[in-house]
Amino acid sequence: MPGKIRVAQTVSLETPAAEQPNLHNRWHPDIPTIGTIQPGETVKIECVDWTGGQIGNNDSAEDVRTVDLSKIHYLTGPFEIQGAEPGDLLVVNITDVQPFEDSPWGFTGIFDRQNGGGFLEDHYPKAAKAIWDFDGIYCTSRHIPGVRFAGLIHPGILGCAPSHEVLAEWNRREAELISSCVHSHPNKVVAQPPLEKNVHAGRTTGDLKAKIAREGARTIPGRPEHGGNVDINNISRGSTTYLPVHVEGAKFSVGDLHFSQGDGEISFCGAIEIAGTITIKFDLIKNGVKSRAIKSPVFRPGDVAPNFGPGRYLTFEGFSVDEHGKQHFMDATVAYRQACLRAIEYLKQFGYSGEQLYLLLSCAPIKGSIAGIVDIPNVCTTLGIPMDIFDFDISLEAEPKKRDLGSCPVSSV
């Protein structure tokens, strides 16, 4: 008989995240490990939500408007994987992810344009929020009525610590990007350099914490050397991810759990964000970076996926011509933004507000893809909306009927 699965780390939803020594919010090789896991071992790891409990289960968007983004993301770890060495591949087999039983809810947010923003910030500049309640694998929201769907629960972030050399390369190239975009993107934050404010580096203090604060990489972007914040919804139950190891013991961390997320997580806080428990079986492929020619993470999806037939998606096309009629050259970002805006404008006919739909497209199991990326000057992207998540017909054959679908909280400022 298999033994009971060990809980490698617990967290508290009452204690401030910054006071919990088993969490951290920067990537740095000197953050001390919090425990050891053996290759072949399956463990449970508890995680707080990515903001560390800054968002409440209420009907106001003010907490989203004022969220402190210098604190995020709070990750559980790092863990030493016994025997892991630089050049190995860490094999991360996710067997389960669940919200806490005594906290069966999550949130989706639109950040204020002046505090994080999002993919559609020019159209929806104010903060907004939706709370989701869970019923087993299903979720519904009092703020976006008329929809119900099963969640593909997954971590937004998993990764191994960078080496000092890899960390220096991250900081070099991101600083170079910031410098090069001073004139081309004068009013745009193009990268987040190290920030000493609100650094949490586990149980470190004094000079070591100050060093990590000066050098530590923000957790906001994913990076090719280790993955990190990739927000891929198919890295879910049953999936296997292969992560390059850069330091002795791998120093693996995980967090930013999502109950559900649409492709692109377009509102930035766009998944259904949760606190919960992830169950992982760890293995190693020794010297795998060289022997498998793998320099960046690779994954195999699991067998769990939304069960909508191919013909049950209403799919919108987007091209690299923006809403003002300006032609952009092969710009997939512009094209996907256009697909999102067209989907929102279509669904508004049924009674939703733009903010409700922006939130919904961020967290529902929509399918985004690049359909064509070779035909100059226009990239073509697609955004597929599963029609069966709605309790009414959204097909083009059904004449749109305005319904009373309530509203979501939107900030007053």
Side-chain angles (χ1 to χ4, degrees):
M1 293 289 291
K4 184 177 180 181
I5 296 175
R6 176 170 71 93
V7 179
Q9 184 57 55
T10 61
V11 299
S12 170
L13 299 186
E14 284 74 43
T15 303
E19 297 176 12
Q20 298 188 48
N22 301 308
L23 304 178
H24 64 97
N25 63 8
R26 301 292 191 272
W27 291 112
H28 196 285
D30 293 341
I31 297 175
T33 56
I34 63 172
T36 300
I37 299 170
Q38 301 295 325
E41 185 180 9
T42 299
V43 298
K44 293 180 179 291
I45 300 171
E46 293 185 358
C47 303
V48 298
D49 81 79
W50 75 298
T51 73
Q54 296 186 59
I55 309 302
N57 185 348
N58 54 46
D59 299 321
S60 169
E62 296 309 305
D63 50 6
V64 175
R65 183 181 67 84
T66 60
V67 67
D68 190 339
L69 296 178
S70 67
K71 297 180 178 181
I72 56 92
H73 301 75
Y74 283 104
L75 308 179
T76 306
F79 294 93
E80 176 190 359
I81 309 302
Q82 189 71 42
E85 300 173 294
D88 294 345
L89 288 177
L90 180 64
V91 184
V92 180
N93 302 281
I94 298 175
T95 62
D96 198 14
V97 192
Q98 295 291 338
F100 289 129
E101 289 185 2
D102 57 355
S103 185
W105 65 277
F107 63 89
T108 305
I110 299 171
F111 284 156
D112 187 278
R113 186 177 184 177
Q114 304 304 317
N115 187 27
F119 195 52
L120 305 180
E121 61 186 37
D122 288 345
H123 299 266
Y124 300 100
K126 292 185 178 181
K129 181 172 75 176
I131 298 296
W132 297 86
D133 296 303
F134 307 143
D135 179 13
I137 66 171
Y138 296 99
C139 64
T140 56
S141 174
R142 63 184 182 268
H143 298 135
I144 310 177
V147 294
R148 179 176 184 264
F149 52 88
L152 185 60
I153 311 179
H154 62 279
I157 298 179
L158 44 82
C160 299
S163 64
H164 286 282
E165 294 76 15
V166 168
L167 177 61
E169 171 62 12
W170 291 354
N171 288 334
R172 181 203 65 77
R173 70 188 183 214
E174 291 171 22
E176 184 178 87
L177 177 67
I178 293 170
S179 178
S180 67
C181 290
V182 166
H183 299 296
S184 62
H185 297 76
N187 300 313
K188 188 72 174 177
V189 176
V190 297
Q192 297 277 5
L195 179 68
E196 296 184 39
K197 179 183 177 183
N198 286 324
V199 164
H200 183 42
R203 59 179 181 272
T204 60
T205 58
D207 292 343
L208 179 57
K209 184 174 182 179
K211 180 176 186 287
I212 292 169
R214 290 192 306 271
E215 302 173 351
R218 302 296 301 278
T219 60
I220 293 169
R223 296 179 175 92
E225 292 85 355
H226 86 146
N229 190 28
V230 293
D231 291 318
I232 298 172
N233 53 25
N234 281 316
I235 300 181
S236 183
R237 290 169 292 178
S239 69
T240 302
T241 302
Y242 305 86
L243 298 173
V245 173
H246 298 285
V247 298
E248 294 289 333
K251 289 195 170 182
F252 171 85
S253 299
V254 64
D256 187 25
L257 302 187
H258 300 164
F259 189 86
S260 176
Q261 180 209 297
D263 287 342
E265 197 186 11
I266 60 174
S267 77
F268 180 27
C269 184
I272 299 178
E273 310 285 350
I274 62 171
T277 304
I278 184 168
T279 307
I280 301 175
K281 179 180 183 292
F282 290 92
D283 286 298
L284 284 174
I285 298 177
K286 299 299 292 181
N287 196 36
V289 170
K290 182 177 180 181
S291 67
R292 305 306 197 268
I294 297 297
K295 294 184 178 180
S296 294
V298 174
F299 78 95
R300 289 189 290 113
D303 296 324
V304 178
N307 188 25
F308 304 109
R312 299 303 301 162
Y313 286 86
L314 188 60
T315 300
F316 294 81
E317 299 178 3
F319 300 88
S320 39
V321 177
D322 67 26
E323 63 272 24
H324 307 295
K326 181 180 179 180
Q327 177 74 62
H328 298 258
F329 178 68
M330 303 304 288
D331 193 325
T333 299
V334 170
Y336 196 60
R337 185 177 290 117
Q338 292 309 301
C340 294
L341 291 172
R342 289 167 186 167
I344 288 172
E345 286 307 307
Y346 177 78
L347 292 173
K348 283 167 70 173
Q349 299 176 99
F350 297 93
Y352 290 114
S353 69
E355 287 83 3
Q356 286 175 303
L357 293 167
Y358 186 10
L359 291 163
L360 182 62
L361 294 188
S362 296
C363 66
I366 66 168
K367 293 294 183 185
S369 67
I370 295 177
I373 201 165
V374 297
D375 298 316
I376 61 172
N378 285 330
V379 172
C380 176
T381 64
T382 63
L383 184 151
I385 300 173
M387 299 168 68
D388 297 330
I389 69 174
F390 297 89
D391 62 12
F392 51 86
D393 188 357
I394 67 163
S395 71
L396 269 72
E397 286 72 23
E399 185 174 351
K401 177 184 176 182
K402 212 84 162 176
R403 293 163 172 79
D404 181 4
L405 295 171
S407 63
C408 65
V410 178
S411 67
S412 56
V413 179

